[in-house]
């Protein structure tokens, strides 16, 4: 059940966090997921995925993204327990505030702009 839910809510976390679906965005989300769950699949992606990044993306991962993921992982409620299916009609920005998603680092590529 845990892995099923993990796959079900992956895209919700992208939307709520504002993380893009680029390789870089996926790696950052895996860091967030790893820090919240400790799941081996997240650890594998978070640690092996950066091998595909260029030097600038690796620098940004270490100096901006991982610190963001650490902050988000302790401020956001456990993401597998959120009942996303009841939140479809919620205002996105209000929901981000309610769930305490921190803003993304300035100047990094994102999928959703406000």
């Amino acid at each position: 059940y845990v892995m099923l839910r993990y796959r079900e809510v992956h895209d919700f976390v992208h939307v709520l966090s504002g993380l893009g679906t680029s390789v870089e965005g996926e790696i950052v989300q895996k860091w967030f997921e790893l820090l919240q769950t400790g799941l081996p699949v997240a650890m594998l992606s978070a640690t092996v995925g950066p091998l595909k990044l260029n030097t600038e993306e690796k620098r940004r991962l270490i100096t901006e993204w991982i610190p963001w993921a650490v902050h988000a992982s302790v401020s956001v409620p456990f993401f597998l327990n959120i009942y996303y299916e009841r939140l479809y009609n919620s205002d996105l920005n209000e929901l981000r505030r309610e769930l305490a998603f921190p803003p993304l680092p300035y100047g990094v590529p994102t999928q959703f702009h406000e």
Side-chain angles (χ1 to χ4, degrees):
Y1 173 79
V2 172
M3 291 310 296
L4 174 63
R5 187 65 178 164
Y6 179 75
R7 288 188 304 274
E8 287 175 345
V9 303
H10 178 86
D11 291 339
F12 289 111
V13 176
H14 272 292
V15 172
L16 287 170
S17 67
L19 291 168
T21 55
S22 65
V23 171
E24 190 176 15
E26 290 291 344
I27 291 169
V28 177
Q29 182 158 325
K30 292 302 176 185
W31 271 99
F32 169 77
E33 294 169 355
L34 168 63
L35 293 165
Q36 278 217 341
T37 67
L39 288 171
V41 67
M43 182 183 300
L44 182 64
S45 298
T47 57
V48 175
L51 297 174
K52 297 191 83 160
L53 300 178
N54 65 38
T55 302
E56 175 58 24
E57 291 167 334
K58 288 176 186 173
R59 184 206 57 78
R60 191 169 39 229
L61 178 67
I62 293 166
T63 62
E64 299 178 39
W65 282 121
I66 292 175
W68 177 88
V70 169
H71 178 74
S73 70
V74 296
S75 65
V76 175
F78 187 62
F79 76 97
L80 295 178
N81 288 346
I82 298 171
Y83 203 156
Y84 299 95
E85 295 82 358
R86 292 185 180 171
L87 303 174
Y88 290 154
N89 294 323
S90 301
D91 177 76
L92 181 57
N93 291 321
E94 198 173 297
L95 193 53
R96 285 176 175 159
R97 280 189 295 279
E98 183 180 319
L99 295 175
F101 266 98
L104 296 175
Y106 176 76
V108 295
T110 61
Q111 180 174 356
F112 304 100
H113 301 282
E114 295 181 33

